[in-house]
Amino acid sequence: MGLSSANTVVNEGFQLCVFDLRRGQQEGQELDKILFFHPADLPFSTQLSVIGLSEGLITFTSLFKGIAFVSCRIFSPEAACEVIEAERHSHVFHQAELDIWMVMVVEKSKESDAIWRIDALRRVLKEVHSLFVMFHGSIRSLLDKEPSGGLVRPHLYNFIMDYLSAFQKRSPWDICCCDFLVGKKIKLPSFRDCLKERGTVQMLTVGREAALEVQSLVRVLESCAGNTPCYSLVLFQDLLVSTTLSPDDTINLFTYAVLRLAPHALLSRASSRSYLRKGNSASQIAAASVLATSGPVSEQFYGSHDTSPHGGEHSHHVLRPLQLNKWCKGTDGFLVTDIWGPEVGSMVSATPTVWLQQTDERMYLCVYQHKSLTLILLFPISSILNEQGLSVVKQQIVENASLKMLKVEEKLSKGWGGENAYHVGGYRYLLVDGDRNVSRASPPGKVTTLTKESLISLSNLREEVDLEKSREIWDDPGHEKDLEICIRAKNNAWVIARTTRGKELYMVLEKANETLLFASDAVEKFSNRYCSGAFSLD
């Protein structure tokens, strides 16, 4: 999801591509394999060179089993290539679908800020693909619909470029609420993000009484849909309260909600409009247009950038759900957007839809918001024949569930401790439950108090843990080893990692006692009080 302004800035040394191993195998047809490439204005010879090298590495590493190569990753015919560490570049691989690969190439730098974890970069690739599938379906299905690639290329291009806008260097006037872009610089997850875990959700801790109220609200919402299946997510601020979806669908919708639907995202829209009204629009719009325009070569190859359904005989309506500032609150409390275009034969905006993995079908996406409470509701398109039927369901929700929503929002607000609710004095931590895909961490404002040396030490430690976990998967797939590492950093801070039974705890203790016993006791106290003893050594 969104990155802090302190992330590593990468410009010419960053490349991202998506290609299909099944395509372009005949001489003269090599361009067919390219589905996406950034920067798009690079010569095709350069693009093919990058993809050709990636193909070779994928093929080469698949020939070896149980052999550590270059970056100490284990390769086998059953395991997809993850990363190749060359002298000047890191090549990060993600097999998005069968024979469809995403590769990120990042140039190494001697600057201390250019320090990143490979797993964090791979999670960026996984996230963008998961979100793409949620809105458009699989890449392979789009290729099957139009084998020439004229359908999938413009969809991938606009979607990934809109996604990368969250990584762009922001305006100096940006105070974490504006989305104006300056230049083409991309900011990657760096060592400063070592106390974050992409691909997880952050939960709100609620008391028993509030939990019962939330359960009651979910039942009311389901009853409003009648015989139509209803799936829901309940969020408070940027935290998940309740979900009736599968873990994968929950992560995807939670990620999208935090990016574009949560109260702070709508506040960003209002702030952006206010900024434009102050007369600063010209230069900012020119900067933002970088994502929507490219050179003649990419215009022809990646297809028309016309997002209108009436763009011409051979153009496609390119859905761009990650566009900035496209959602707003309607008079009935439901969020509205024109991203999906108008209904057929009408000027009214069509209801958003997403693809749900849990049921393998397309769903209507309805979002209701009251103050800090956001409800995401999903209804199968097959169960509601038209927009009129969906309007009836929405009206039932407004009439029968509004008071319950008010009550739930009030209770959650009273129990909410603010942005520092999960701060623990003396600790800077990240807690990850891999089995539930849930994470909790020290507030970002508290993490910024750590020294650069502490953050780099923890980032390096997490890289070692990632490598150890990879080795365990291939050495003994059915058994997870417990792991504990305590390191005394150069600035005398303790940097600690503990993993056990699918859970991981990372911690930095600055200004701590010099003894290892003190550090171990501090972890024990934290584990017993905040983790139900999950990381205790007893």
Side-chain angles (χ1 to χ4, degrees):
M1 292 182 289
L3 300 178
S4 65
S5 59
N7 287 350
T8 302
V9 176
V10 181
N11 193 4
E12 294 82 357
F14 173 81
Q15 296 167 335
L16 176 61
C17 58
V18 182
F19 57 92
D20 183 0
L21 291 178
R22 299 181 188 177
R23 301 165 62 89
Q25 298 303 317
Q26 300 297 323
E27 185 176 355
Q29 300 178 358
E30 290 85 359
L31 288 180
D32 289 348
K33 71 182 65 175
I34 307 177
L35 304 181
F36 171 85
F37 199 98
H38 174 79
D41 55 0
L42 287 180
F44 281 132
S45 58
T46 303
Q47 297 184 29
L48 288 173
S49 176
V50 173
I51 291 177
L53 175 60
S54 299
E55 280 189 284
L57 293 172
I58 291 168
T59 302
F60 177 73
T61 55
S62 68
L63 300 176
F64 293 84
K65 185 173 182 179
I67 300 177
F69 177 75
V70 183
S71 63
C72 297
R73 294 299 198 263
I74 305 298
F75 299 110
S76 75
E78 296 80 19
C81 177
E82 292 184 356
V83 61
I84 294 293
E85 295 284 10
E87 181 179 358
R88 296 179 55 188
H89 295 86
S90 296
H91 299 252
V92 184
F93 298 80
H94 172 53
Q95 187 174 14
E97 301 172 23
L98 184 62
D99 292 328
I100 293 178
W101 286 78
M102 303 177 72
V103 179
M104 182 188 297
V105 182
V106 185
E107 186 177 16
K108 296 180 180 180
S109 172
K110 295 181 179 180
E111 296 180 6
S112 60
D113 278 359
I115 299 174
W116 46 71
R117 286 173 45 240
I118 295 302
D119 185 65
L121 299 183
R122 292 191 72 242
R123 285 177 178 267
V124 170
L125 299 178
K126 291 179 180 179
E127 182 173 272
V128 69
H129 176 258
S130 295
L131 291 175
F132 182 88
V133 171
M134 181 174 72
F135 290 108
H136 298 293
S138 68
I139 296 174
R140 182 64 66 194
S141 67
L142 294 180
L143 285 170
D144 291 341
K145 288 180 182 178
E146 187 169 344
S148 70
L151 178 62
V152 71
R153 286 194 183 100
H155 280 79
L156 277 172
Y157 181 85
N158 286 282
F159 189 89
I160 296 178
M161 294 310 294
D162 286 341
Y163 178 86
L164 290 178
S165 70
F167 296 75
Q168 294 280 333
K169 182 178 180 181
R170 297 179 182 270
S171 161
W173 297 281
D174 180 11
I175 312 177
C176 301
C177 63
C178 297
D179 286 304
F180 298 123
L181 311 178
V182 174
K184 298 182 180 181
K185 293 188 176 180
I186 306 273
K187 294 180 294 185
L188 296 177
S190 74
F191 68 89
R192 300 186 187 278
D193 298 290
C194 59
L195 287 175
K196 296 178 182 177
E197 189 74 353
R198 190 179 298 269
T200 60
V201 300
Q202 290 75 56
M203 299 284 297
L204 177 70
T205 301
V206 299
R208 182 176 182 276
E209 185 177 348
L212 292 174
E213 288 291 347
V214 172
Q215 291 177 6
S216 177
L217 171 60
V218 171
R219 288 194 294 267
V220 171
L221 294 172
E222 292 173 346
S223 67
C224 291
N227 295 325
T228 301
C230 173
Y231 302 90
S232 66
L233 272 81
V234 180
L235 289 85
F236 181 81
Q237 300 284 3
D238 290 346
L239 301 173
L240 181 66
V241 179
S242 168
T243 179
T244 61
L245 294 170
S246 68
D248 288 341
D249 289 320
T250 295
I251 291 173
N252 291 338
L253 280 164
F254 175 83
T255 300
Y256 185 63
V258 173
L259 281 173
R260 296 292 180 261
L261 306 177
H264 83 88
L266 299 189
L267 177 63
S268 172
R269 172 188 174 92
S271 300
S272 297
R273 286 182 169 180
S274 174
Y275 190 79
L276 291 174
R277 285 196 296 269
K278 293 178 181 179
N280 297 295
S281 59
S283 62
Q284 302 299 340
I285 290 176
S289 67
V290 167
L291 295 180
T293 60
S294 55
V297 173
S298 61
E299 278 286 339
Q300 297 172 15
F301 186 68
Y302 290 110
S304 171
H305 293 285
D306 178 18
T307 58
S308 167
H310 311 292
E313 180 181 357
H314 300 290
S315 66
H316 304 283
H317 172 44
V318 180
L319 177 67
R320 298 179 62 185
L322 293 183
Q323 275 186 294
L324 300 169
N325 306 324
K326 283 292 187 176
W327 289 84
C328 63
K329 191 173 181 179
T331 56
D332 60 356
F334 281 94
L335 302 190
V336 295
T337 180
D338 61 358
I339 290 176
W340 275 256
E343 296 179 32
V344 178
S346 171
M347 296 300 292
V348 179
S349 296
T351 301
T353 60
V354 295
W355 189 266
L356 201 63
Q357 294 184 33
Q358 182 175 345
T359 60
D360 195 30
E361 61 182 322
R362 188 158 287 279
M363 314 287 286
Y364 284 117
L365 170 65
C366 302
V367 185
Y368 185 93
Q369 197 166 94
H370 172 65
K371 295 184 178 179
S372 298
L373 186 70
T374 303
L375 306 180
I376 299 178
L377 307 173
L378 302 171
F379 307 100
I381 291 180
S382 59
S383 300
I384 301 178
L385 298 180
N386 51 44
E387 295 280 348
Q388 185 176 359
L390 187 62
S391 297
V392 172
V393 174
K394 287 183 177 181
Q395 185 62 32
Q396 288 289 318
I397 292 172
V398 172
E399 292 177 356
N400 300 317
S402 292
L403 291 178
K404 183 68 69 174
M405 296 178 197
L406 291 173
K407 190 173 182 179
V408 168
E409 201 280 336
E410 183 180 357
K411 281 193 174 293
L412 295 179
S413 294
K414 287 183 178 179
W416 171 234
E419 62 181 13
N420 290 327
Y422 299 119
H423 170 59
V424 180
Y427 296 87
R428 301 295 182 269
Y429 69 93
L430 169 65
L431 176 63
V432 180
D433 187 336
D435 295 333
R436 298 170 56 220
N437 296 316
V438 173
S439 67
R440 175 168 294 171
S442 294
K446 298 297 182 180
V447 175
T448 58
T449 65
L450 291 176
T451 64
K452 186 175 181 179
E453 290 77 11
S454 295
L455 291 170
I456 291 176
S457 296
L458 181 59
S459 180
N460 293 336
L461 175 59
R462 291 203 62 186
E463 187 74 40
E464 290 299 319
V465 173
D466 292 339
L467 288 171
E468 186 62 31
K469 289 192 297 183
S470 296
R471 294 189 189 101
E472 289 178 7
I473 290 175
W474 306 118
D475 290 344
D476 191 356
H479 178 69
E480 293 185 10
K481 299 177 182 178
D482 291 349
L483 178 68
E484 180 184 16
I485 304 175
C486 294
I487 296 176
R488 189 70 164 176
K490 293 181 179 179
N491 63 334
N492 290 326
W494 282 105
V495 181
I496 302 165
R498 282 192 187 181
T499 66
T500 180
R501 298 184 293 278
K503 296 181 175 61
E504 302 171 32
L505 175 63
Y506 301 97
M507 186 176 294
V508 176
L509 303 173
E510 288 190 338
K511 301 178 182 179
N513 190 288
E514 293 185 2
T515 67
L516 179 60
L517 179 61
F518 172 87
S520 181
D521 287 344
V523 177
E524 289 289 316
K525 291 177 181 178
F526 184 93
S527 173
N528 291 332
R529 184 168 181 179
Y530 301 102
C531 310
S532 301
F535 299 95
S536 298
L537 299 178
D538 296 338

